[in-house]
Amino acid sequence: MQKRNTTDASKNRTKCEDCPLAKLHEFREFTPPELKFVSSFKQGEMAIDKGHTLLVEGAHSAHLYTVLLGWGFRYKILEDGRRQILNYLVPGDLIGLQGALMEEMQHSVESLTPMTLCIFARGKLPELYRNYPSLGYDLTWMAAREEQILDHTLTSVGRRTALEKIAYLLALLYQRAQKSGAMKNSNSYIPITQHHLADTLGMSVVHCNKTLKTLASQKLIRWGERECYVLDIDGLMSAAKWEGMDAGARPFI
Amino acid sequence: MQKRNTTDASKNRTKCEDCPLAKLHEFREFTPPELKFVSSFKQGEMAIDKGHTLLVEGAHSAHLYTVLLGWGFRYKILEDGRRQILNYLVPGDLIGLQGALMEEMQHSVESLTPMTLCIFARGKLPELYRNYPSLGYDLTWMAAREEQILDHTLTSVGRRTALEKIAYLLALLYQRAQKSGAMKNSNSYIPITQHHLADTLGMSVVHCNKTLKTLASQKLIRWGERECYVLDIDGLMSAAKWEGMDAGARPFI
DNA sequence: CGCTTACTTGAGTCTGGTCAAACGGGGTGG
DNA sequence: CCACCCCGTTTGACCAGACTCAAGTAAGCG
């Protein structure tokens, strides 16, 4: 919730041709014309600090973003302060698609680490759909994938036990981070607090803490200050009774 | 779970030009060329019985459907039988978009009432994106809307109390049914069992039953055999601490 | 007419929540 | 440089919302 300036990093802008995400195995490749368009679609870059609130529920955002670097999450808050974290954001993820298509955002977005974002002009979306159908397809694909993740999470929150829930979420985040390159330097760590975990899974911080102890005692994870190290991903997945989710080469913009 | 034959109703097929959904205020209108394409995109119609399992998790479906009539729901099942209902289907909703874009369906779909579905050929999707960008946009819009509903439901399952959860879900279903014309004849009733409610909201049938009694005693609803009558939608929404969700004119295919 | 499905209701139990207190590290102002 | 504070984490004691088990009713169907 800290308020800090955001830095406009348009100067040292990453060229789409050199996009670090493109190098990852997980993403599909653009054709040259697509690449050219995406490059023009991109308006600039933005660097934000840790703990910055990027978008607020109810706002009407003029932009669409892609995460280039860093972690974030999106969430809703009830009147009395109860918070539900809906999903996390890692490199390659879109921010604000709902807001770009509908009237307004129905959730807020906050950063967990310093982030770098690509900024796209919402106004150019019609052109994208008109002239680059494959990119339009990709956008639908990404929305469908977000839906899939929500399906898995909803199933966990609704029907799994505390231990299973936590194991599920950590396994999911581990896998997403691996694929997106979010763990490049820092080996297998996830930058969240126990409070975030609790608010994602519909449980209290206290009980979350006690459950983490159990997972740690089983050598599945190790908890650090504001971060979680995954020691045994297979063990986590079987503790969660979860088989993972996969979906071939993903697009990104 | 009853297994019945599905009837191919291609014979008495509804022409897209006469689509009953188009008459509803909620949906946007097609342009003539769009209408022509959609008409060719539609391969036929299918009528299915109540309690029929339309799609199974893990399957690879060749079709995409739109609900013309009736109620359904999509869900996941854990190995040990625990079930999580993810969302409900009312007229105008798409079925199988995830399956059409990704490798396989990651959830199952079942009917709550007899249903009529329009069948679309998954293989024609590229043509849709190529030649009818506005329809491609609509598909993304629909995926984003599904995501929005999931956001609301996840928030309820994770952070609302039992009473609030149930009030939320009934209010949501009531509103969706109203807008989609699913309540045309039968005034304000929702065709689900308490078991469905429980499996949607992550609670037990017993506790669900007791909570429904409370809502009924407050004159917000009346419960019938296999169905729920909403008596006071505003009361329900305030009991849920929920403001509803709206999003202008929705597209459909 | 017996079977199954849906709904009720009560009793007892337990997972997970609340309350409270304490610790350690990092940042900040005096 | 130090005192203080805040945040994130930890732990214990107690509480309660929600679950399980169990049994019974009513309606629908073959």
Side-chain angles (χ1 to χ4, degrees):
Chain A
M1 289 298 190
Q2 307 149 32
K3 280 157 215 154
R4 297 284 187 73
N5 287 330
T6 61
T7 313
D8 183 11
S10 312
K11 294 288 170 57
N12 34 13
R13 155 180 177 159
T14 311
K15 283 190 194 145
C16 291
E17 291 75 18
D18 306 330
C19 183
L21 294 176
K23 299 192 186 78
L24 293 169
H25 189 48
E26 207 208 345
F27 298 96
R28 84 163 176 91
E29 273 182 53
F30 287 142
T31 64
E34 282 172 354
L35 190 59
K36 186 148 176 261
F37 173 75
V38 170
S39 198
S40 78
F41 187 31
K42 176 171 171 179
Q43 292 193 308
E45 257 169 50
M46 188 162 82
I48 61 179
D49 285 336
K50 174 170 85 171
H52 182 82
T53 300
L54 177 61
L55 290 173
V56 182
E57 189 170 347
H60 176 92
S61 94
H63 301 292
L64 194 62
Y65 306 90
T66 290
V67 180
L68 251 190
L69 209 69
W71 290 73
F73 64 97
R74 57 190 198 89
Y75 63 97
K76 278 175 175 288
I77 299 230
L78 302 181
E79 299 143 358
D80 59 3
R82 284 174 285 180
R83 177 176 71 170
Q84 176 67 44
I85 295 183
L86 303 166
N87 198 3
Y88 292 83
L89 299 160
V90 294
D93 288 339
L94 268 184
I95 299 178
L97 184 61
Q98 276 186 30
L101 300 181
M102 334 295 244
E103 305 301 318
E104 59 176 43
M105 295 283 290
Q106 299 207 359
H107 58 258
S108 306
V109 176
E110 191 174 321
S111 59
L112 280 168
T113 66
M115 297 178 86
T116 310
L117 307 176
C118 295
I119 307 171
F120 299 106
R122 172 182 167 160
K124 276 194 145 186
L125 272 182
E127 185 189 340
L128 182 152
Y129 276 94
R130 206 173 328 110
N131 299 333
Y132 301 89
S134 52
L135 295 181
Y137 185 93
D138 287 352
L139 283 180
T140 311
W141 193 98
M142 297 215 273
R145 181 153 184 286
E146 178 76 16
E147 184 188 318
Q148 242 179 23
I149 297 177
L150 285 168
D151 285 352
H152 283 271
T153 301
L154 181 54
T155 302
S156 297
V157 175
R159 283 300 181 214
R160 283 191 234 259
T161 65
L163 193 97
E164 291 166 355
K165 283 181 192 188
I166 294 192
Y168 153 79
L169 185 60
L170 294 177
L172 173 72
L173 292 179
Y174 174 84
Q175 296 195 325
R176 290 183 60 195
Q178 283 285 331
K179 288 191 195 162
S180 69
M183 281 176 178
K184 229 174 334 182
N185 337 329
S186 43
N187 249 340
S188 66
Y189 95 97
I190 300 167
I192 55 177
T193 68
Q194 298 183 6
H195 201 88
H196 293 121
L197 267 186
D199 280 353
T200 309
L201 299 171
M203 42 195 295
S204 72
V205 184
V206 172
H207 193 230
C208 187
N209 178 280
K210 288 168 181 167
T211 308
L212 282 170
K213 290 270 150 192
T214 309
L215 285 175
S217 76
Q218 295 173 10
K219 307 280 187 213
L220 300 180
I221 61 160
R222 187 163 61 76
W223 193 269
E225 177 82 4
R226 268 186 151 284
E227 57 197 21
C228 176
Y229 296 82
V230 172
L231 302 177
D232 176 359
I233 179 66
D234 294 326
L236 266 189
M237 290 178 66
S238 83
K241 303 196 176 73
W242 187 60
E243 333 71 36
M245 50 177 297
D246 196 54
R250 68 182 278 193
F252 74 104
I253 287 195
Chain B
M1 290 296 191
Q2 307 150 32
K3 280 156 215 155
R4 297 283 189 73
N5 287 330
T6 61
T7 313
D8 182 13
S10 313
K11 295 287 171 56
N12 33 14
R13 153 181 180 159
T14 311
K15 282 190 197 147
C16 291
E17 291 75 18
D18 306 330
C19 183
L21 293 176
K23 298 193 186 78
L24 294 170
H25 190 47
E26 206 207 349
F27 298 95
R28 83 164 177 92
E29 274 183 53
F30 285 141
T31 63
E34 282 172 354
L35 190 59
K36 185 147 176 261
F37 172 76
V38 169
S39 197
S40 79
F41 187 31
K42 175 169 171 179
Q43 291 193 309
E45 256 169 50
M46 189 162 82
I48 61 178
D49 285 336
K50 172 169 85 170
H52 182 81
T53 301
L54 177 62
L55 290 173
V56 183
E57 189 170 347
H60 177 92
S61 95
H63 300 293
L64 193 63
Y65 306 91
T66 291
V67 180
L68 250 190
L69 210 68
W71 289 72
F73 64 97
R74 58 191 197 88
Y75 62 98
K76 277 173 175 288
I77 299 229
L78 301 182
E79 299 143 358
D80 59 3
R82 284 174 285 179
R83 177 176 70 169
Q84 176 67 45
I85 296 183
L86 303 165
N87 198 2
Y88 292 83
L89 299 160
V90 294
D93 288 340
L94 268 185
I95 299 178
L97 184 61
Q98 277 185 29
L101 301 181
M102 332 298 241
E103 305 301 319
E104 58 176 42
M105 294 284 289
Q106 299 209 358
H107 59 258
S108 306
V109 177
E110 192 175 320
S111 59
L112 281 168
T113 66
M115 297 178 85
T116 309
L117 308 177
C118 295
I119 306 172
F120 299 106
R122 172 184 167 160
K124 274 195 150 188
L125 271 182
E127 184 188 340
L128 182 152
Y129 277 94
R130 206 175 326 111
N131 299 333
Y132 302 89
S134 52
L135 296 180
Y137 184 94
D138 288 351
L139 283 181
T140 311
W141 193 98
M142 297 215 274
R145 180 154 184 286
E146 178 76 17
E147 184 187 320
Q148 241 179 22
I149 297 177
L150 285 168
D151 285 352
H152 283 272
T153 302
L154 181 54
T155 302
S156 296
V157 175
R159 284 299 182 215
R160 283 191 234 258
T161 66
L163 193 98
E164 290 166 356
K165 284 181 193 191
I166 294 191
Y168 154 79
L169 185 60
L170 295 177
L172 173 72
L173 292 179
Y174 175 83
Q175 296 196 324
R176 289 183 59 195
Q178 284 284 331
K179 288 190 195 163
S180 70
M183 281 177 178
K184 227 173 339 186
N185 338 330
S186 44
N187 249 340
S188 66
Y189 95 98
I190 300 166
I192 56 177
T193 67
Q194 298 183 6
H195 201 89
H196 292 120
L197 267 187
D199 280 352
T200 310
L201 299 171
M203 42 195 296
S204 73
V205 184
V206 172
H207 193 230
C208 188
N209 178 279
K210 287 167 182 168
T211 308
L212 282 169
K213 290 269 150 193
T214 309
L215 285 174
S217 76
Q218 294 173 10
K219 309 279 187 215
L220 300 181
I221 61 160
R222 188 163 59 77
W223 193 268
E225 177 82 3
R226 268 186 151 282
E227 58 198 19
C228 176
Y229 295 83
V230 172
L231 302 179
D232 176 359
I233 180 65
D234 294 326
L236 265 190
M237 290 179 65
S238 83
K241 303 195 176 71
W242 186 59
E243 333 72 36
M245 51 176 296
D246 196 54
R250 68 181 278 191
F252 73 105
I253 286 195

